[in-house]
Amino acid sequence: MKKNVFLLIVAICMMGSFSLMAQETEKKKEIKDWMHAVAYKKDGTTFEGYLKNITPALYGSYHLPDASDSTMIFTKGNKLFERTTRIPNSEIDSMVTWYDDKPDLKFKWESRPANFAFGGSKPFVMEHPVMLLLLYKGKKVRGYLSSHPLYGFKYFFMLDDMPYAMAFMKPFQKFNERRRKTLLDTFYMYPEMEAYIKTLTKEEVKRNPFCVLKKLDEILLINN
């Protein structure tokens, strides 16, 4: 089930000492397997409901923000023909979500442009902002997770001066020399990262998927 895959990825990141950046929100309903959400709009208003974005995939449908979604669709409940509210991603600054059966585990999403192509490839930037799950927040670098119906889950990173978030790794992929080259191509603009990436081991990546972002953050702090 896609929900379980999503929670497993989050758990792996949390074991790597990365915190979910989410503020507390009062639990009001109990609907299993639907994402309860509060959207914080750029105009200062908020909207609360349940996400009704349903994305079909080869391994089943799921209720999660997806890169193909240009609009978040909310419902106040889970009735089949219940009235919905649509909010374009471009109007959303951030969003906090949780599952009612796990009210203490909250997720913060940010609406950002995103490039789903890995380094060295022709950029594949979505035409609309994408809801990215914030899993790492350093002093200079932020790390995210998002998914695409064709390309699956990917990890992203972004700095304040970047026009869009960039994909750098996929969850559950074995770290081999091909993946190492992808990282070298992705972080080529930071020469100090080269030696670190060349000595990176698959055990380090498995233990801490965002270890490269932590190293990049250290380098940027020293240089600035």
Side-chain angles (χ1 to χ4, degrees), residues 11 40 103 105 150 192 210 212:
Y40 296 88
L105 184 59
L150 293 179
E192 299 93 334
F210 289 137
V212 289

Side-chain angles (χ1 to χ4, degrees), residues 100-179:
D100 283 344
D101 59 347
K102 294 180 173 60
D104 296 327
L105 184 59
K106 292 185 171 66
F107 313 100
K108 181 175 181 181
W109 307 74
E110 296 180 352
S111 180
R112 301 283 184 267
N115 176 15
F116 273 75
F118 286 124
S121 303
K122 182 179 179 180
F124 174 45
V125 182
M126 305 300 294
E127 295 181 355
H128 55 266
V130 173
M131 299 307 301
L132 299 173
L133 173 61
L134 181 64
L135 288 178
Y136 173 77
K137 187 174 183 179
K139 297 292 185 180
K140 299 284 187 177
V141 187
R142 298 185 301 282
Y144 302 97
L145 172 72
S146 186
S147 66
H148 189 281
L150 293 179
Y151 306 112
F153 285 106
K154 285 189 177 183
Y155 292 130
F156 295 79
F157 78 99
M158 190 172 189
L159 281 65
D160 288 338
D161 60 352
M162 289 173 58
Y164 45 72
M166 291 185 61
F168 70 95
M169 192 179 296
K170 293 188 70 172
F172 307 128
Q173 270 193 335
K174 291 184 179 180
F175 185 69
N176 52 29
E177 292 310 306
R178 182 178 178 182
R179 309 302 172 208

Side-chain angles (χ1 to χ4, degrees), residues 22-75:
Q23 62 190 76
E24 290 298 318
T25 310
E26 182 184 357
K27 185 183 73 169
K28 297 180 180 179
K29 297 185 178 181
E30 292 286 346
I31 298 179
K32 186 179 180 181
D33 293 336
W34 284 56
M35 267 196 163
H36 203 147
V38 177
Y40 296 88
K41 299 177 66 177
K42 294 178 180 178
D43 63 6
T45 61
T46 63
F47 185 88
E48 182 173 356
Y50 287 84
L51 285 182
K52 203 172 182 179
N53 296 68
I54 304 176
T55 303
L58 295 176
Y59 34 80
S61 299
Y62 53 92
H63 295 81
L64 285 175
D66 191 277
S68 63
D69 297 325
S70 60
T71 299
M72 291 295 104
I73 306 173
F74 299 89
T75 179

Side-chain angles (χ1 to χ4, degrees), residues 184 187 190-198 212 215-216 219:
L184 289 170
F187 296 97
Y190 310 106
E192 299 93 334
M193 288 287 290
E194 183 175 354
Y196 172 77
I197 294 174
K198 285 185 175 180
V212 289
K215 182 63 177 180
L216 177 60
I219 291 172

